[in-house]
Amino acid sequence: MSASRVAISIHVFGLVQGVGFRPFLHRIASQHGVSGWAVNTNDSVRIHAEGLSKAIDDFIDSIRRKSPPLAHVEHIETRPATDNGYTAFEIHSSRSETTAVTRVSPDIAVCDECLADIKVQPNRINYPFVNCTNCGPRFSIIKDLPYDRGNTTMADFKMCESCSREYGDIENRRYHAQPNACAECGPVYTYQTGEETVTDINLLLSRAASLIDRGGVIAVKGIGGFHLACDATNETAVSRLRVGKRREGKPFAIMCGDLKAAREYAYLSLPEEELLVSRERPIVLLASKRKGNGVPLAASVCNGLPTVGIMIPYMPLHFLLFERLETKAIVLTSGNLSDEPIAIGNEDAFERLGSTADAFLTTNREIHNRNDDSVLFVAGGIPRFVRRSRGWAPEPVPLPFSAEGVAACGAELKGSFCLGKGNSAILSQHLGDLKNPESFSFYTEAFERFCRLFRFSPRLAVCDTHPDYLSTRFAESLDVPIMKVQHHYAHIASCLAENAFLDRVIGVAMDGTGYGDDGNIWGGEFFLCDLTGYRRISHLQYLPLPGGDAAIREPWRMAVGLLYSLYGKSAVEMDLPVLRERSDAELELLIAAIEKGVNTPITSSAGRLFDGVAALTGLVSKAGFEAEAPMRLEASIACDDTSYSFKTGDRIGVLSIIEEIVADICAGIDTGVIASRFHNTVVRLILDTVVKIAEESGVRTVALSGGVFQNRYIVSKTEESLSAEGFTVLRQRMVPVNDEGVSLGQLAVAAFAGAGQ
Ligand code: ZN
Ligand code: ZN
Ligand code: FE
């Protein structure tokens, strides 16, 4: 029957390394009676298969349809090969060729089987670095491709006999699990205080748990960096952590032992539960319960906001700690001071967190790629990113065209970059506010590491049109041709890119601030656009932004600007909460500046309008953290279906909204009702403007982006009302609508322009 015997060369592309793919191949090869070999290369898994032609067909079909849980087969290429008469199926060691790269797996939460192993396997009892091909660290430890132990920070640890046996046994779950380790041979935790150093795992776990239960603060080295932890139900501990971290108002994320404990503190919908227990294990922003059955959270965890960010354990150490903790919830916040990047090195952590932490839980395994926790929320039943990092980075966003060689440098306040490799857009992890020098050096370091890891060298750099963004300067320093993309167009393009949508849309960018083509500050924009270009059809009317960036930190300035635009100089004499808090001198100075246009740019920003309204109602006059004013305004929404009046057109008149809000305030209307009316107005304003643009253009698809769509009320009501009018709504599900998603849009615009040539 030698006639029906064939030999074939198979290339499998996608997420196929570090996910148990070769053992899987070995299994199905023996099932189907296929012989030959498989090898990991930097861009794929290559297979040489020999066998009966039916067996080969079944083998390829199994690759397509039965791959392991973490794997993702994107496509398979086959071509005829020479029959070498192999009698068995072998796994060959990895090879590195060309500049094409395979996908790098994100870090994945520990699996149930591994958690079970640390209860029974003698060399792994309570061993906190247990992992297998279905779970464990990946991106955080990888230095280079192919994904082999020697290219990770596990290279320093020589596997013991028992681990080597598992690693080499094709039938074992740890076959070629690169970070495979046990208590005999792998990394260890060390507990350190000023007085003692503990290395025994059981002793250090009980020391750490009891320290937290007694109100102490502990720095814990995790997957992508250090965390600071304390009892979330202990007000003294939480306030101490706040002072130590120099974080005045921004809510802290907490970790609960399991879903049941999470339900004590928050209302969970099904999609929210699924997200919490997903293998990515992000922080999920949830509606907090005022009263559960358990001990309530300390007030300063959420600082008066009705949402709480919760995650559940994702690495073995978390599980082991919760087995010993009395408290049901711990604050688990990034190990950093205010907005700096999280600490990843032990020495760095001692230095930066030493004055805050009473103890350190460090490890001797190095973190190569810093990777903060991801943050999502669910609106309209759909998970949405606020921050895309651990669990997702560096998963590519697939594009319907090539982006090879394009380096998009992102925005600034929420830095990110995006690299084009073939039809993939590889987005960086969360990098933070680039104005912070430490964050900017993290940005440049991460860029270099991505270039090395993904064998990328830029042929074109893309950046924002803002001349002063540090990311713009960085793009200029790359010494390749540059393309600049307007900020809000990039937001919309980001939405188009992840939806692989190439036709024309009505783009609605409701955002904070971004540099506009006319030199003014944009942020409430309606475009007709596709990836080839855009036309600004309409925008919120320009209003003064007194003090420029200072107005972002001090929303009362925005409120005064709004009042001045309506009533002129005499505005300061009105009896309004926002004015009562300010001295006459302060107000006069600001009014004089607005009148003369000194340091008072004009802006169409929707985010700033939210700021101004929040300040007018007396909710927030100075922001303790980014977007505090809009967040508190959203939080105060009470039930009311009415809205204020506005004027549609190429400039949307919003001063009538302010006029009616002032009347409501003077009439003693509840702030919650004002907040509802204002939110309803923004939704109506978007809907009416879109309807008008659709009538004139015939375009029936709407793309929504910009930071304002992180407001759950706005995003869900806007999507609902547009859908109800028969529009197709493109939403962002793969990257954040905030500035972290801008780099993807920049990349898409530049790559699409290149693809058309
Ligand atoms: Zn596992
Ligand atoms: Zn071992
Ligand atoms: Fe933006």
Side-chain angles (χ1 to χ4, degrees):
M1 289 293 288
S2 67
S4 64
R5 194 181 150 91
V6 293
I8 194 158
S9 159
I10 307 167
H11 284 193
V12 187
F13 296 90
L15 182 50
V16 289
Q17 290 186 22
V19 290
F21 204 76
R22 287 176 300 170
F24 155 74
L25 291 176
H26 191 267
R27 253 192 329 273
I28 58 168
S30 65
Q31 266 168 31
H32 297 297
V34 168
S35 53
W37 49 260
V39 64
N40 271 356
T41 64
N42 42 294
D43 71 335
S44 62
V45 170
R46 298 190 183 198
I47 303 161
H48 174 85
E50 297 177 358
L52 298 176
S53 88
K54 166 87 170 76
I56 299 284
D57 287 348
D58 292 347
F59 177 69
I60 294 173
D61 191 55
S62 294
I63 295 175
R64 247 189 214 111
R65 300 195 299 130
K66 294 182 185 159
S67 66
L70 294 187
H72 180 81
V73 174
E74 274 167 8
H75 74 280
I76 298 175
E77 286 171 11
T78 58
R79 58 187 155 76
T82 319
D83 193 334
N84 289 320
Y86 283 95
T87 51
F89 194 85
E90 298 157 10
I91 303 298
H92 290 170
S93 53
S94 305
R95 284 206 306 254
S96 176
E97 307 159 347
T98 72
T99 58
V101 289
T102 185
R103 277 161 67 173
V104 172
S105 168
D107 300 309
I108 298 296
V110 60
C111 75
D112 290 343
E113 286 168 293
C114 283
L115 281 178
D117 285 348
I118 61 173
K119 296 295 164 216
V120 294
Q121 289 187 345
N123 60 338
R124 289 206 176 92
I125 297 295
N126 291 341
Y127 182 62
F129 296 89
V130 65
N131 67 85
C132 71
T133 46
N134 300 323
C135 77
R138 297 285 189 280
F139 173 60
S140 58
I141 59 167
I142 193 169
K143 292 178 169 175
D144 203 353
L145 285 171
Y147 177 63
D148 275 336
R149 192 173 176 106
N151 282 331
T152 72
T153 61
M154 285 298 291
D156 303 342
F157 301 92
K158 193 175 165 350
M159 271 184 276
C160 69
E161 231 176 89
S162 145
C163 286
S164 303
R165 221 177 303 121
E166 292 173 324
Y167 186 88
D169 175 5
I170 195 93
E171 300 297 324
N172 195 289
R173 209 172 80 247
R174 300 202 168 89
Y175 174 77
H176 280 241
Q178 305 306 343
N180 189 28
C182 75
E184 289 295 314
C185 64
V188 291
Y189 266 98
T190 305
Y191 177 87
Q192 281 168 279
T193 66
E195 287 94 52
E196 62 171 351
T197 300
V198 181
T199 52
D200 177 77
I201 185 65
N202 293 308
L203 199 57
L204 70 82
L205 285 169
S206 59
R207 284 279 207 286
S210 104
L211 180 82
I212 293 173
D213 281 329
R214 282 182 287 120
V217 172
I218 184 166
V220 184
K221 192 168 179 180
I223 295 286
F226 273 84
H227 280 122
L228 285 163
C230 73
D231 181 357
T233 64
N234 181 329
E235 183 56 56
T236 320
V238 179
S239 335
R240 248 189 73 214
L241 178 52
R242 263 198 194 286
V243 175
K245 246 190 87 136
R246 291 183 224 145
R247 174 144 140 179
E248 294 195 348
K250 196 175 170 195
F252 282 137
I254 63 166
M255 178 174 274
C256 296
D258 51 28
L259 268 187
K260 187 166 163 272
R263 286 193 202 102
E264 295 280 341
Y265 300 104
Y267 298 97
L268 300 183
S269 66
L270 191 60
E272 287 168 337
E273 288 193 357
E274 286 170 356
L275 195 54
L276 272 174
V277 301
S278 68
R279 64 185 192 216
E280 293 88 2
R281 300 281 158 93
I283 295 169
V284 184
L285 301 177
L286 301 159
S288 59
K289 276 188 183 169
R290 291 206 187 279
K291 265 205 186 105
N293 298 322
V295 185
L297 295 180
S300 66
V301 170
C302 303
N303 258 335
L305 284 164
T307 48
V308 58
I310 300 187
M311 57 188 149
I312 63 167
Y314 57 83
M315 53 177 207
L317 186 90
H318 298 149
F319 288 92
L320 293 167
L321 266 181
F322 271 97
E323 283 172 6
R324 286 156 184 82
L325 280 167
E326 295 280 328
T327 181
K328 294 274 184 290
I330 59 172
V331 165
L332 200 63
T333 182
S334 313
N336 57 7
L337 300 182
S338 62
D339 288 329
E340 292 173 2
I342 44 170
I344 53 172
N346 294 347
E347 291 306 319
D348 182 31
F350 294 145
E351 199 173 299
R352 287 203 279 151
L353 312 176
S355 56
T356 313
D358 302 307
F360 283 83
L361 262 181
T362 60
T363 78
N364 53 344
R365 180 169 75 195
E366 200 194 313
I367 296 168
H368 186 69
N369 295 305
R370 177 186 279 115
N371 205 2
D372 224 323
D373 295 313
S374 292
V375 183
L376 290 94
F377 66 98
V378 173
I382 296 167
R384 331 238 177 181
F385 282 99
V386 172
R387 179 203 285 172
R388 183 186 185 270
S389 209
R390 180 186 51 77
W392 281 276
E395 273 282 87
V397 175
L399 298 173
F401 45 83
S402 170
E404 187 65 44
V406 181
C409 299
E412 184 174 79
L413 182 62
K414 291 175 194 304
S416 75
F417 57 79
C418 193
L419 307 181
K421 278 300 279 191
N423 283 31
S424 292
I426 303 172
L427 197 68
S428 70
Q429 71 271 48
H430 166 76
L431 302 168
D433 181 355
L434 305 188
K435 274 212 204 75
N436 183 315
E438 282 81 13
S439 299
F440 187 65
S441 53
F442 173 32
Y443 173 96
T444 55
E445 178 195 87
F447 188 89
E448 280 161 25
R449 290 188 175 182
F450 269 63
C451 287
R452 180 187 154 90
L453 184 58
F454 294 104
R455 296 171 203 219
F456 177 88
S457 50
R459 62 170 174 84
L460 176 72
V462 204
C463 63
D464 201 276
T465 51
H466 199 304
D468 299 328
Y469 272 0
L470 286 163
S471 53
T472 303
R473 305 258 175 85
F474 179 77
E476 285 159 359
S477 76
L478 288 177
D479 219 21
V480 292
I482 291 205
M483 177 174 174
K484 298 194 174 194
V485 180
Q486 198 278 326
H487 185 88
H488 301 101
Y489 174 45
H491 270 296
I492 299 300
S494 168
C495 181
L496 296 179
E498 70 159 81
N499 285 284
F501 195 86
L502 302 179
D503 289 338
R504 225 155 49 120
V505 296
I506 300 169
V508 182
M510 292 288 133
D511 196 34
T513 47
Y515 192 81
D517 293 340
D518 56 3
N520 295 319
I521 297 170
W522 291 10
E525 314 303 315
F526 293 81
F527 300 131
L528 266 176
C529 60
D530 56 24
L531 286 178
T532 65
Y534 69 101
R535 214 150 51 84
R536 189 191 196 199
I537 306 296
S538 177
H539 62 88
L540 300 189
Q541 78 177 101
Y542 284 127
L543 292 162
L545 184 64
D549 281 351
I552 301 176
R553 293 184 298 273
E554 301 188 3
W556 70 271
R557 290 166 178 267
M558 192 68 205
V560 172
L562 293 170
L563 293 172
Y564 177 85
S565 307
L566 267 173
Y567 308 108
K569 252 174 142 171
S570 62
V572 290
E573 284 146 34
M574 302 174 78
D575 184 28
L576 290 167
V578 64
L579 300 175
R580 261 175 253 144
E581 285 175 25
R582 312 257 67 97
S583 71
D584 289 349
E586 219 175 358
L587 289 171
E588 267 164 39
L589 208 66
L590 193 71
I591 293 280
I594 300 171
E595 267 189 323
K596 297 198 191 93
V598 177
N599 195 15
T600 303
I602 53 174
T603 183
S604 55
S605 162
R608 299 291 82 80
L609 187 62
F610 275 79
D611 277 355
V613 171
L616 264 184
T617 58
L619 275 173
V620 177
S621 58
K622 291 191 181 183
F625 53 95
E626 196 224 331
E628 180 181 5
M631 281 165 80
R632 295 212 185 272
L633 191 64
E634 181 190 0
S636 69
I637 288 178
C639 214
D640 189 281
D641 289 337
T642 57
S643 52
Y644 299 115
S645 28
F646 55 89
K647 289 178 206 76
T648 52
D650 49 1
R651 287 182 186 196
I652 302 162
V654 295
L655 279 178
S656 48
I657 301 174
I658 304 305
E659 202 169 7
E660 290 173 28
I661 287 175
V662 169
D664 272 359
I665 295 171
C666 294
I669 303 285
D670 180 64
T671 303
V673 173
I674 297 175
S676 305
R677 291 177 178 169
F678 174 68
H679 279 78
N680 294 336
T681 311
V682 173
V683 174
R684 280 247 342 257
L685 171 161
I686 295 171
L687 180 67
D688 289 4
T689 307
V690 166
V691 166
K692 210 158 165 263
I693 298 173
E695 277 165 6
E696 285 156 16
S697 64
V699 177
R700 303 290 302 169
T701 306
V702 187
L704 306 176
S705 191
V708 171
F709 290 111
Q710 271 174 197
N711 180 312
R712 287 168 199 234
Y713 190 90
I714 297 291
V715 73
S716 43
K717 297 276 177 189
T718 303
E719 289 178 357
E720 262 170 44
S721 64
L722 287 168
S723 304
E725 289 293 319
F727 288 100
T728 302
V729 180
L730 303 180
R731 37 174 81 94
Q732 300 219 259
R733 307 171 71 146
M734 297 167 84
V735 302
V737 290
N738 62 41
D739 283 7
E740 211 171 273
V742 161
S743 59
L744 173 64
Q746 295 173 340
L747 178 109
V749 170
F752 195 68
Q757 279 165 13

